Amino acid sequence: MIRPIIEFCASNMHHGTHELFDKLEANPEYDVIEYGCLGNCGQCDFGPYAMVNGEVVEADTPEALEKAIDAKMNEEDPWASLDLG
């Protein structure tokens, strides 16, 4: 199983996402990365966000962002039903 990649922008931490970053980074099932900039400056100024496997996930609060990240990671994998073995 491939671990989800969760990316945070250092410039977005002022929205309170630093605590969520620390919490997720402590989970060995995730690859959590902080970048100086993710290139989503308008989003970054607006509110808490992260990228999950390359897709933007946003919310109004860090708590809501955590739930949105969980929901994104729990979406059914469209490739899961294929028998590639």
Side-chain angles (χ1 to χ4, degrees):
M1 176 182 246
I2 298 173
R3 295 187 311 190
I5 299 171
I6 307 168
E7 300 166 288
F8 285 86
C9 180
S11 298
N12 191 254
M13 297 297 182
H14 70 277
H15 290 291
T17 55
H18 61 282
E19 290 178 14
L20 178 55
F21 172 86
D22 291 341
K23 179 179 180 179
L24 295 174
E25 186 180 42
N27 187 329
E29 294 182 18
Y30 308 144
D31 283 330
V32 182
I33 305 165
E34 177 184 349
Y35 291 101
C37 180
L38 288 173
N40 295 309
C41 299
Q43 179 62 46
C44 194
D45 283 342
F46 182 72
Y49 91 103
M51 295 184 72
V52 177
N53 295 328
E55 293 186 40
V56 172
V57 177
E58 58 188 317
D60 292 331
T61 66
E63 295 78 18
L65 180 60
E66 182 175 9
K67 290 178 184 176
I69 289 171
D70 285 342
K72 186 67 174 171
M73 289 190 301
N74 289 320
E75 286 180 355
E76 186 173 340
D77 182 353
W79 305 107
S81 62
L82 295 178
D83 182 8
L84 301 176

